[in-house]
Amino acid sequence: MLIYKDSTGEHDSISVRRNRWYDHKNMRGGYPLKFMQEFYGMNFRIAMKELLHGEEPELGRKRNAEQAQDMEKEKEENAVKNEANPSKDKMEKSKFILPEKDSNMKRVFAYLLKTRFLDKDVVKSFVEQKILYQEKEHGNVVFVGTDKDGVAKSACKKSTAEQTKSFRMTVAGSDCRYGFCWRGDSNKLYVFEAAIDLMSFITWRNDEWKADSFLALDGLSPKPLLQFLEDQKNIYEIFLCLDHDEAGIEACDKLKDILIEKGYEAEKVKREYPLYKDWNEQLKAEHGEVPILPQSHPKKTAYHVAVKKLGIMNTNTESQYMKWRKQEYEKPGFSFYL
């Protein structure tokens, strides 16, 4: 995992595999060239030159001592000026402001009910809590993250247009410790990667769900989960309902380790697997659409195969390996195993 910072805080949602990367929080990825452009602000020419030769100064490789001193001095002077006269732009940039609400919810309801197959009563429940609404400017659906007092702390916008490429963006100034959630009175918490997965699971359960708690991480960071548990001391049983793919499997293991370190009992931290890639794909399958299939973790699959082979080999006392092991054990005794 790679850690990076943006206007919403610090994130560890980037996976790197060989020469490819993927940002689970913002649902985008690609190859090294795009990475240099996205995270270092380079244009095509400079990014290509840096990858080929590693000679561009943008990454700070050729900054001499004199330049560094001048920059440090300028930084200190600017800091003093900003403290004395904080600019209006800087103050506004760091301030969290929810997108303006539209006068109706037509596009959002059409998208969530017809495209995503969510239950109407489930959607209305979140609308009534004022944590789900339609943005006025572009008609996007807005998912709001709140603290224990119901105060909006973060927000994520997602496109409702079917024909265009999927758009998803965290609102500037959002506090990444607070995710889209439902706070119930029971001791059960269900954790998801995204808000639509959360509502898809509730729709799929089709029961009296409001007593339980539900949380969307808006990615794979543990911060929203840890903050939620800090606020909700009644939580005793945690269900990790992340995507059934390589990243989701790794994140579940990571979250379980963190929770056990925090004092939660291992048997009370459980994994809930969707039948397909995620919970909304499961709803799509039930409505006759072709879903994205679940993805196994290659290393875990290889591990189970190896363990199975070792088990078979060790049960066969006539194998050459077992005969050799018995002979070696008879020579040095127990130290052979050590």
Side-chain angles (χ1 to χ4, degrees):
M1 287 287 184
L2 176 72
I3 296 175
Y4 75 97
K5 294 182 179 180
D6 61 14
S7 61
T8 66
E10 187 177 283
H11 311 287
D12 59 354
S13 59
I14 296 181
S15 294
V16 179
R17 293 285 184 277
R18 297 183 182 275
N19 68 330
R20 301 199 68 175
W21 62 275
Y22 186 75
D23 184 353
H24 300 279
K25 183 176 188 297
N26 294 306
M27 298 177 70
R28 66 179 190 271
Y31 292 93
L33 188 63
K34 187 177 179 182
F35 184 89
M36 305 294 274
Q37 293 174 310
E38 288 277 345
F39 294 96
Y40 291 103
M42 296 180 176
N43 59 36
F44 177 86
R45 183 186 65 81
I46 294 176
M48 182 62 74
K49 190 174 180 181
E50 174 63 30
L51 288 170
L52 291 174
H53 307 292
E55 294 177 352
E56 286 301 316
E58 279 73 10
L59 296 182
R61 288 196 176 98
K62 302 185 84 175
R63 191 178 292 149
N64 59 38
E66 185 178 344
Q67 289 174 320
Q69 289 177 0
D70 291 341
M71 290 182 69
E72 190 64 31
K73 185 177 179 181
E74 184 180 351
K75 187 177 179 181
E76 290 177 359
E77 290 175 354
N78 289 335
V80 172
K81 290 179 183 178
N82 290 336
E83 285 180 10
N85 300 298
S87 66
K88 184 178 179 182
D89 291 339
K90 188 174 181 181
M91 291 174 68
E92 289 179 348
K93 190 176 287 186
S94 60
K95 188 177 180 181
F96 170 64
I97 301 175
L98 283 171
E100 188 177 356
K101 188 176 181 180
D102 205 345
S103 58
N104 67 77
M105 294 275 291
K106 291 181 180 178
R107 289 181 63 174
V108 166
F109 270 103
Y111 171 70
L112 296 179
L113 272 57
K114 295 180 181 179
T115 305
R116 293 294 190 161
F117 304 109
L118 300 182
D119 182 77
K120 184 177 181 180
D121 291 334
V122 172
V123 176
K124 286 178 66 177
S125 295
F126 286 95
V127 171
E128 290 168 359
Q129 289 292 313
K130 299 181 180 180
I131 56 175
L132 190 159
Y133 65 91
Q134 183 171 306
E135 180 195 26
K136 182 177 182 180
E137 186 176 3
H138 301 293
N140 296 315
V141 55
V142 180
F143 302 103
V144 183
T146 56
D147 62 14
K148 61 182 179 180
D149 298 316
V151 179
K153 293 289 185 179
S154 69
C156 175
K157 297 191 290 185
K158 184 171 178 57
S159 173
T160 55
E162 295 181 53
Q163 66 276 14
T164 59
K165 187 177 179 181
S166 179
F167 164 82
R168 180 174 172 274
M169 186 182 78
T170 301
V171 175
S174 293
D175 188 335
C176 61
R177 295 174 300 167
Y178 297 93
F180 179 80
C181 65
W182 180 276
R183 299 176 188 269
D185 297 323
S186 80
N187 57 16
K188 294 181 180 179
L189 170 64
Y190 295 82
V191 183
F192 304 84
E193 288 189 30
I196 288 180
D197 291 333
L198 185 158
M199 292 190 291
S200 298
F201 179 81
I202 294 174
T203 299
W204 171 76
R205 267 185 32 168
N206 191 28
D207 62 2
E208 294 297 325
W209 56 274
K210 294 184 179 180
D212 297 332
S213 293
F214 301 85
L215 171 68
L217 301 177
D218 193 22
L220 294 171
S221 172
K223 292 179 181 178
L225 174 57
L226 296 178
Q227 183 63 50
F228 191 95
L229 294 173
E230 181 67 27
D231 295 339
Q232 300 287 119
K233 300 295 186 181
N234 60 305
I235 300 300
Y236 178 67
E237 199 169 6
I238 302 170
F239 297 86
L240 302 176
C241 310
L242 307 188
D243 290 3
H244 196 163
D245 58 14
E246 185 175 348
I249 293 168
E250 285 189 7
C252 276
D253 289 342
K254 176 182 175 182
L255 291 175
K256 186 167 185 176
D257 288 343
I258 292 173
L259 292 171
I260 291 172
E261 287 179 6
K262 293 288 182 181
Y264 288 87
E265 297 179 20
E267 59 271 18
K268 293 298 181 181
V269 181
K270 305 172 183 178
R271 174 66 153 124
E272 284 277 352
Y273 281 102
L275 294 177
Y276 298 94
K277 191 257 182 187
D278 59 45
W279 297 100
N280 194 247
E281 294 298 323
Q282 190 155 319
L283 283 186
K284 288 180 180 179
E286 291 178 359
H287 285 81
E289 290 201 5
V290 179
I292 300 174
L293 297 175
Q295 302 163 20
S296 61
H297 194 292
K299 290 183 179 179
K300 285 200 168 189
T301 301
Y303 160 78
H304 288 298
V305 170
V307 169
K308 186 176 180 180
K309 287 182 177 179
L310 286 171
I312 294 171
M313 186 164 53
N314 280 278
T315 56
N316 181 11
T317 56
E318 298 301 318
S319 70
Q320 291 297 317
Y321 166 72
M322 289 299 292
K323 290 178 180 179
W324 169 83
R325 194 176 75 169
K326 185 179 180 181
Q327 291 173 359
E328 292 301 311
Y329 171 72
E330 288 173 350
K331 295 175 185 177
F334 189 67
S335 60
F336 167 72
Y337 287 115
L338 296 178

